[in-house]
Amino acid sequence: VVQAGAMKPYELYYWPSIQGRGELVRLALEEAAAPYVDVARTPRGMSAMMKLIAGHGSGLAPFAPPFLKAGALVVAQTANILLYLGERHGLAPKADAGRLGAHQLQLTAMDFVAEAHDVHHPVGAGLYFVGERIPKFLGYFEGVLSKNGPFMMGPRLTYVDLTMFQIVAGLDYAFPRTMKRMNRKIAGLRALHDRVKARPRVARYLASERRLAFNEHGIFRHYPELDLAR
Ligand SMILES: N[C@@H](CCC(=O)N[C@@H](CS)C(=O)NCC(=O)O)C(=O)O
């Protein structure tokens, strides 16, 4: 546990006028009596936040607030921030089973928060996903890859690359016209997808009966009417 008086204040970055997901981090910081600055609520704080999101030069710039700066470290994703703070401030069990158990509950709580958020945006969700969210997320991942390459986390394959393969493959299946249009903007992800697909173990798996075909019951479903027009 870090002594409150002895440390440089954390910097919390979150939208200044809502509780939102940032509140889950504020609650942990407050309970830990950890000194912190709520940066976006200070003068010029918003532009500092937007600069970190734009992430010039960083292969791990946050996709979205909240994120926490602790010295040189920038940690994003609410559950990830809490994993970090929990460990440092005695707000989580120490042994693997409990530590990962708390993280598991937190990730589930974050899924639930996302669903609560979706209640406000039920109209035109398909169009919004194709027109705004696919370009924003893939653009973000493409940026990470171009900075960190050849793999998402640098020189070696990690599970993140396997997930990127599946996301590109799934989007190709579900939104072929959108993905065709995105092709030039995601050249790096496309190449990563192809390299992962060609890895001997992955290729063998994909060719086997162990690999289920995409279908209309999974995450990625092909509904042509939700895809961009031809
Ligand atoms: N899974 C992320 C979600 C982050 C997120 O969606 N943040 C919102 C505010 S609560 C945001 O600003 N999103 C911008 C965007 O998704 O484009 C987390 O738990 O931190």
Side-chain angles (χ1 to χ4, degrees):
V1 175
V2 179
Q3 289 304 311
M7 56 178 293
K8 202 173 166 244
Y10 290 111
E11 292 177 13
L12 169 65
Y13 292 81
Y14 193 67
W15 305 114
S17 58
I18 55 171
Q19 293 186 0
R21 291 174 173 93
E23 198 63 14
L24 307 178
V25 181
R26 291 193 190 102
L27 286 168
L29 290 165
E30 295 286 346
E31 171 61 24
Y36 71 101
V37 182
D38 205 335
V39 178
R41 287 161 83 178
T42 66
R44 288 182 296 283
M46 268 301 282
S47 69
M49 180 162 100
M50 299 325 283
K51 238 182 238 162
L52 280 169
I53 292 176
H56 309 293
S58 164
L60 286 173
F63 176 79
F67 49 94
L68 185 80
K69 206 158 174 286
L73 191 65
V74 180
V75 187
Q77 286 286 352
T78 309
N80 203 32
I81 298 167
L82 293 172
L83 181 70
Y84 175 73
L85 289 177
E87 193 168 310
R88 289 191 102 195
H89 296 279
L91 288 174
K94 291 213 179 320
D96 272 359
R99 197 171 52 83
L100 295 175
H103 189 48
Q104 170 181 316
L105 289 174
Q106 190 63 38
L107 287 165
T108 305
M110 298 322 296
D111 286 348
F112 185 53
V113 167
E115 292 195 15
H117 175 271
D118 287 348
V119 171
H120 330 144
H121 300 285
V123 182
L127 256 180
Y128 172 67
F129 186 69
V130 161
E132 310 222 357
R133 302 311 274 173
I134 291 181
K136 183 165 181 182
F137 275 95
L138 291 190
Y140 171 77
F141 290 130
E142 178 75 16
V144 170
L145 179 61
S146 73
K147 177 68 197 165
N148 291 350
F151 293 104
M152 291 297 285
M153 291 298 297
R156 290 177 59 99
L157 176 112
T158 67
Y159 56 78
V160 182
D161 301 296
L162 303 174
T163 292
M164 289 300 131
F165 159 76
Q166 178 64 12
I167 285 176
V168 170
L171 291 174
D172 281 342
Y173 172 78
F175 305 106
R177 297 197 292 260
T178 304
M179 287 302 274
K180 208 164 164 200
R181 244 193 251 182
M182 292 249 6
N183 248 340
R184 267 189 308 126
K185 292 200 171 120
I186 59 163
L189 282 178
R190 179 62 64 198
L192 177 67
H193 162 277
D194 295 350
R195 268 185 287 135
V196 170
K197 189 175 178 179
R199 287 172 77 85
R201 289 173 182 166
V202 173
R204 245 178 280 130
Y205 166 67
L206 294 176
S208 77
E209 79 223 10
R210 300 190 299 285
R211 170 75 164 186
L212 297 163
F214 285 113
N215 62 42
E216 272 37 85
H217 307 282
I219 296 279
F220 296 108
R221 306 181 186 192
H222 182 45
Y223 292 135
E225 66 276 19
L226 294 180
D227 200 356
L228 288 180
R230 232 169 270 281

